[in-house]
């Protein structure tokens, strides 16, 4: 019995020793493939003019879902920002990290004039995030009292939603939220 046990253990050890290098070769990509993956991850992205004008430097990028690209960098004043490009390379959003405000030129490039002409836009104070798309523009920042403020506008400048204060679970939002199906009526019971 002990001879069978020692033979089984020896055979298992031999199989393990032979199979480990085979698994290691399959698991680790060849050096050329690894270098190519790093090159693709660090491939230079054409910066939109608004980011160039803002002096964005130390830029790194990351591919996102559905062809989007996320950019991370520093502005000339040292503020760190994140930006999002759509699948066509158009700038769709910018967010400052921490309490730093976004530069006025960057806000002007992303926010349509009709929204900037709105009386509510003046109440937003220092903007820290701007996201725009076909459906509208979302803005977030701080008012003069350092309270959190956020607003959603249609592209034509119509105020859709406005909120001041705490952002947990939608507290502070005023206005009706349009449903995904496009109507403004109440949702059917679930």
């Amino acid at each position: 019995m002990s001879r069978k046990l020692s033979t089984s253990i020896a055979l298992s050890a031999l199989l393990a020793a032979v199979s480990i290098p085979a698994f290691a070769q399959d698991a680790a990509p060849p050096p050329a493939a690894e270098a190519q993956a790093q090159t693709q991850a660090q491939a230079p992205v054409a910066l939109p003019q608004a980011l160039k004008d803002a002096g964005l430097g130390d830029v790194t990028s990351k591919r996102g879902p559905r062809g989007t690209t996320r950019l991370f960098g520093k502005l000339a004043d040292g503020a760190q920002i994140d930006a999002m490009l759509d699948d066509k390379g158009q700038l769709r959003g910018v967010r400052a990290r921490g309490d730093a405000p976004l530069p006025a030129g960057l806000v002007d490039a992303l926010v349509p004039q009709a929204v900037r002409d709105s009386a509510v836009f003046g109440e937003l104070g220092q903007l820290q995030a701007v996201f725009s798309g076909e459906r509208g523009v979302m803005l977030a920042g701080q008012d003069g009292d350092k309270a959190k403020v956020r607003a959603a506008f249609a592209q034509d400048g119509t105020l859709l939603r406005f909120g001041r204060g705490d952002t947990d679970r939608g507290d502070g939002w005023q206005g009706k939220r349009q449903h995904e199906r496009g109507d403004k009526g109440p949702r059917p019971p679930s």
Side-chain angles (χ1 to χ4, degrees):
M1 178 95 162
S2 90
R3 185 176 173 139
K4 283 185 177 181
L5 181 62
S6 63
T7 305
S8 297
I9 293 173
L11 185 56
S12 297
L14 180 62
L15 286 173
V18 170
S19 63
I20 288 176
F23 284 130
Q25 289 176 359
D26 290 340
E34 188 174 305
Q36 182 180 6
Q38 286 179 351
T39 303
Q40 287 177 349
Q42 298 299 326
V45 174
L47 290 180
Q49 191 61 43
L51 295 177
K52 289 178 187 177
D53 293 346
L56 187 66
D58 296 331
V59 178
T60 58
S61 65
K62 178 181 175 182
R63 298 295 288 173
R66 296 178 297 280
T68 61
T69 302
R70 295 208 41 209
L71 300 175
F72 310 94
K74 283 186 180 181
L75 296 173
D77 64 0
Q80 294 183 346
I81 66 166
D82 301 341
M84 187 182 80
L85 307 178
D86 65 12
D87 58 346
K88 297 175 184 100
Q90 298 294 316
L91 183 60
R92 290 295 178 192
V94 179
R95 178 183 61 183
R97 291 188 184 183
D99 291 333
L102 292 173
L106 203 50
V107 171
D108 291 346
L110 283 170
V111 180
Q113 185 65 44
V115 172
R116 286 183 279 154
D117 290 342
S118 169
V120 174
F121 183 78
E123 292 183 35
L124 296 176
Q126 294 183 336
L127 290 180
Q128 295 168 320
V130 175
F131 295 95
S132 67
E134 293 80 30
R135 294 176 52 173
V137 180
M138 288 286 297
L139 307 171
Q142 293 181 349
D143 64 10
D145 297 329
K146 301 292 184 196
K148 292 179 182 179
V149 181
R150 60 216 173 278
F153 293 89
Q155 291 288 347
D156 66 359
T158 304
L159 179 65
L160 300 174
R161 298 184 76 200
F162 179 80
R164 185 183 308 272
D166 193 10
T167 58
D168 292 339
R169 306 248 329 145
D171 293 341
W173 278 110
Q174 283 81 38
K176 293 181 180 179
R177 178 181 233 174
Q178 291 187 8
H179 302 292
E180 288 297 318
R181 50 186 207 279
D183 66 17
K184 296 181 183 178
R187 287 186 178 262
S190 300

